[in-house]
Amino acid sequence: MKPYKDKILNENTRIRYFEQGATADQMVWHRDQYDRIIEAIECDGWLFQRDNDLPTPIRIGESIEITAGEWHRLIPGDARLVIMITEKIK
């Protein structure tokens, strides 16, 4: 079972909700098929980590660009996380 729910806005944009209480075990390392930009709408203590990098805080209003095929993961914070995901579908 996925630790999130999506609300599809259009072909390449969705809002993703991770509820409070998500565990680190649920946040697996993964790669995406397309380039993505994620922007936090709600966030409290969540971190983003790229392969071979230290985790960095996710901040409201900042964009994180993820290249297709790049290993990455999220690390849960203290409350729910709501992000907007925009995929660059080729």
Side-chain angles (χ1 to χ4, degrees), residues 15-20 27 38-49 55-64 73-84:
I15 303 293
R16 181 163 288 174
Y17 302 86
F18 294 87
E19 292 302 324
Q20 182 176 357
M27 302 297 132
I38 64 170
E39 299 174 58
I41 297 169
E42 287 182 38
C43 184
D44 185 9
W46 284 71
L47 304 172
F48 175 81
Q49 185 175 18
T56 58
I58 298 172
R59 293 188 172 87
I60 294 172
E62 291 183 2
S63 296
I64 298 173
R73 70 174 176 161
L74 297 173
I75 300 170
D78 301 322
R80 81 178 187 159
L81 171 68
V82 180
I83 55 175
M84 182 168 56

Side-chain angles (χ1 to χ4, degrees), residues 3-18:
Y4 60 83
K5 292 182 182 173
D6 282 340
K7 178 180 180 182
I8 305 299
L9 301 180
N10 61 46
E11 182 182 4
N12 19 338
T13 307
R14 72 188 63 160
I15 303 293
R16 181 163 288 174
Y17 302 86
F18 294 87

